[in-house]
Amino acid sequence: MSNNYVYYQPNELDKHDIYGDCTIRALSKVFNCSWKEAFKKQIPYCLKYQVTSAFDCPAKQAKVILKELGFEYHSIKVPKGSKRPTVESFAREHTTGRYIVNVARHIVAVVDGKYYDTWDSGDKCLYGFYELVS
């Protein structure tokens, strides 16, 4: 287990870490609010775009929703023959700031050099990340 990993489960009803609510958990950590408050932050955008979460839609719409929530998107450009950064390496390199990182079929919060999840997702490769800028 990585030294940068911190178990994080703000959903009081998910006692066995089986709910598919990684977007809400990540927003909760990045915004430093409860699971319910993070859920409520998404509702206007879910209604506007008719999606179930900020990431349950095409990437273009997700970028728009997250921008409206105060995030800036950064893509990961990987030179041919190189490996993508992992959640763990990203966390080690980003010791300050609040981020939501996008990995295959999952979303992870990174805050001040630590990554927060219900399992150690540190070996997952990044496809892009959102930085909280406002």
Side-chain angles (χ1 to χ4, degrees), residues 100-119:
I100 292 179
V101 300
N102 188 9
V103 301
R105 297 178 303 281
H106 193 51
I107 304 300
V108 182
V110 176
V111 177
D112 297 334
K114 302 279 185 189
Y115 59 98
Y116 296 81
D117 206 343
T118 56
W119 54 283

Side-chain angles (χ1 to χ4, degrees), residues 7-97:
Y7 175 81
Y8 183 69
Q9 176 51 284
N11 186 342
E12 311 165 342
L13 299 180
D14 187 7
K15 305 229 184 283
H16 301 289
D17 299 332
I18 59 172
Y19 294 0
D21 60 352
C22 58
T23 299
I24 299 165
R25 289 193 319 263
L27 288 170
S28 167
K29 185 62 190 174
V30 170
F31 284 126
N32 193 31
C33 65
S34 72
W35 187 95
K36 287 181 181 178
E37 290 169 321
F39 179 79
K40 288 176 186 176
K41 282 182 185 289
Q42 287 195 118
I43 290 174
Y45 306 103
C46 293
L47 291 170
K48 181 177 178 179
Y49 296 105
Q50 294 185 342
V51 296
T52 57
S53 81
F55 286 95
D56 187 24
C57 56
K60 189 174 183 179
Q61 267 184 315
K63 289 177 189 174
V64 170
I65 294 170
L66 275 281
K67 183 175 183 178
E68 291 182 35
L69 286 169
F71 291 88
E72 183 177 303
Y73 180 74
H74 303 276
S75 62
I76 302 287
K77 294 181 181 15
V78 180
K80 189 174 181 174
S82 298
K83 292 184 177 182
R84 289 186 169 280
T86 63
V87 172
E88 182 176 1
S89 67
F90 180 88
R92 270 189 274 123
E93 293 170 12
H94 293 81
T95 57
T96 59

